[in-house]
Amino acid sequence: MLKDKVVIVTGASSGIGQACALAFAAEGCHVVLAARNRDSLMHVAAKCEKKGVKSLVVQTDVSKQEDCKNLVDETLKVFDHIDILVNNAGMSMRALFEDTDIDVLKKLMDVNFWGTVYCTKYALPHILKTRGSIVGISSIAAYKGLPGRTGYSASKFAMNGFLEVLRIENMKKGLHVLICAPGFTASNIRNTALTKDGSIQAESPLDESKLMQPEEVAQHIISAIKNRKNTLILTTVGKMTVLLNKFFPGFMDKMVYNRMASEPNSPIK
């Protein structure tokens, strides 16, 4: 069903992005890999090509509009069309809003929200031609605000709103839009999360071995694309958080506060 489709994956150098690229390659898709670290992308590309598909590496900083346009232009030069765009590139933070430099929040919005907007803007006309899919890797933090993650939650809420409107605007044009909220997943995002002054956190406050693995997330995403689902919410905790928040938001405020406050070195005291 996906064989020979052309797929762009942003943030493809590690974590969910890398797992998605490899999963698409296993399905027979040709993959376009985008991220800032070219060496890591080349490593992923080599793995993809071992599965018998073509790959293209385009070094991209999604916070830069011109990079996102170049990503689409380079894809079209090699493959002539685009079937699927996976907006996965993202970053997190960990600090109380009152302590956080405004520039940290701007950086989160530039990558998580504007990166999705830029890539989607340039890819959309071509994906409409193929009646393909646009995917946004969102978060449970887009359904329930997480204390200590102000910029992250805000950017993911914005992403969800943008993608939902995109789906409605194009509902009669055959466009498929998937919003995926993976829940806590083992990846590098917490290690590279920004602190209050914009420095890198450098370590995860969670036991990554106990979290859902990115390969499992990728398989769920592949299935959701095949079935053209609108929404994908993963992990038991994630599903319960979204469900309970609909009916008991005050209760969930307290639960989320206590959960975030219990993390090692939590900024919430």
Side-chain angles (χ1 to χ4, degrees), residues 5 16-17 26 29 67 80 84 86 142 162 164 175 229 245 267:
K5 300 289 187 184
I16 292 173
C29 299
D67 275 22
D80 291 329
I84 300 169
V86 180
F162 166 68
E164 186 171 289
L175 179 70
K229 295 180 68 173
N245 194 56

Side-chain angles (χ1 to χ4, degrees), residues 102-131:
I102 289 295
D103 285 346
V104 172
L105 303 187
K106 287 182 178 179
K107 191 167 185 178
L108 267 290
M109 291 299 294
D110 283 345
V111 174
N112 297 353
F113 174 66
W114 283 111
T116 296
V117 171
Y118 295 150
C119 290
T120 300
K121 179 65 175 178
Y122 293 113
L124 179 60
H126 310 286
I127 295 178
L128 284 172
K129 290 178 184 177
T130 59
R131 300 173 73 86

Side-chain angles (χ1 to χ4, degrees), residues 17 25 61 82 95 135 158 163-164 166 169 175 201 208 216 245:
D61 180 344
I82 304 169
V135 181
L163 291 173
E164 186 171 289
L166 187 73
E169 286 183 348
L175 179 70
Q201 179 174 256
E208 300 285 325
E216 184 178 354
N245 194 56

Side-chain angles (χ1 to χ4, degrees), residues 6-269:
V6 175
V7 185
I8 298 175
V9 182
T10 67
S13 59
S14 64
I16 292 173
Q18 175 178 288
C20 282
L22 293 172
F24 279 116
E27 293 282 335
C29 299
H30 306 300
V31 291
V32 181
L33 311 173
R36 290 176 297 175
N37 190 321
R38 183 175 181 83
D39 290 341
S40 295
L41 289 177
M42 294 301 293
H43 180 66
V44 178
K47 289 184 177 181
C48 290
E49 290 176 358
K50 286 182 179 179
K51 300 181 185 295
V53 301
K54 296 179 182 177
S55 70
L56 172 66
V57 166
V58 184
Q59 188 171 13
T60 306
D61 180 344
V62 297
S63 69
K64 297 178 180 178
Q65 187 174 346
E66 62 273 19
D67 275 22
C68 297
K69 182 180 186 300
N70 179 66
L71 171 61
V72 172
D73 290 344
E74 291 300 311
T75 299
L76 294 173
K77 285 180 185 177
V78 175
F79 295 110
D80 291 329
H81 69 281
I82 304 169
D83 296 289
I84 300 169
L85 167 65
V86 180
N87 290 294
N88 167 74
M91 64 190 316
S92 189
M93 63 165 289
R94 191 167 181 248
L96 296 181
F97 173 69
E98 64 179 313
D99 301 327
T100 303
D101 292 346
I102 289 295
D103 285 346
V104 172
L105 303 187
K106 287 182 178 179
K107 191 167 185 178
L108 267 290
M109 291 299 294
D110 283 345
V111 174
N112 297 353
F113 174 66
W114 283 111
T116 296
V117 171
Y118 295 150
C119 290
T120 300
K121 179 65 175 178
Y122 293 113
L124 179 60
H126 310 286
I127 295 178
L128 284 172
K129 290 178 184 177
T130 59
R131 300 173 73 86
S133 299
I134 291 176
V135 181
I137 306 302
S138 184
S139 171
I140 302 303
Y143 293 88
K144 183 65 183 178
L146 298 185
R149 272 78 167 181
T150 319
Y152 184 70
S153 277
S155 64
K156 294 299 187 179
F157 266 92
M159 173 196 273
N160 278 21
F162 166 68
L163 291 173
E164 186 171 289
V165 172
L166 187 73
R167 178 193 299 125
I168 297 168
E169 286 183 348
N170 295 281
M171 65 188 301
K172 295 187 178 181
K173 298 180 183 178
L175 179 70
H176 169 230
V177 178
L178 170 65
I179 299 172
C180 172
F184 285 120
T185 303
S187 73
N188 198 42
I189 193 167
R190 280 166 294 279
N191 298 85
T192 58
L194 303 182
T195 61
K196 62 184 180 181
D197 60 2
S199 58
I200 302 297
Q201 179 174 256
E203 61 181 9
S204 173
L206 305 179
D207 184 346
E208 300 285 325
S209 66
K210 295 182 179 179
L211 307 181
M212 180 175 281
Q213 297 301 303
E215 292 77 15
E216 184 178 354
V217 174
Q219 289 304 317
H220 283 293
I221 291 170
I222 293 282
S223 178
I225 291 173
K226 288 180 177 178
N227 291 294
R228 296 180 80 84
K229 295 180 68 173
N230 290 344
T231 306
L232 177 63
I233 298 174
L234 298 176
T235 76
T236 301
V237 171
K239 291 175 182 177
M240 290 300 295
T241 299
V242 173
L243 177 64
L244 291 174
N245 194 56
K246 290 181 180 179
F247 301 103
F248 310 104
F251 168 75
M252 288 306 297
D253 283 354
K254 296 175 183 176
M255 292 295 291
V256 168
Y257 181 94
N258 291 335
R259 170 65 179 81
M260 295 295 106
S262 69
E263 289 183 347
N265 302 313
S266 173
I268 303 168
K269 305 300 181 185

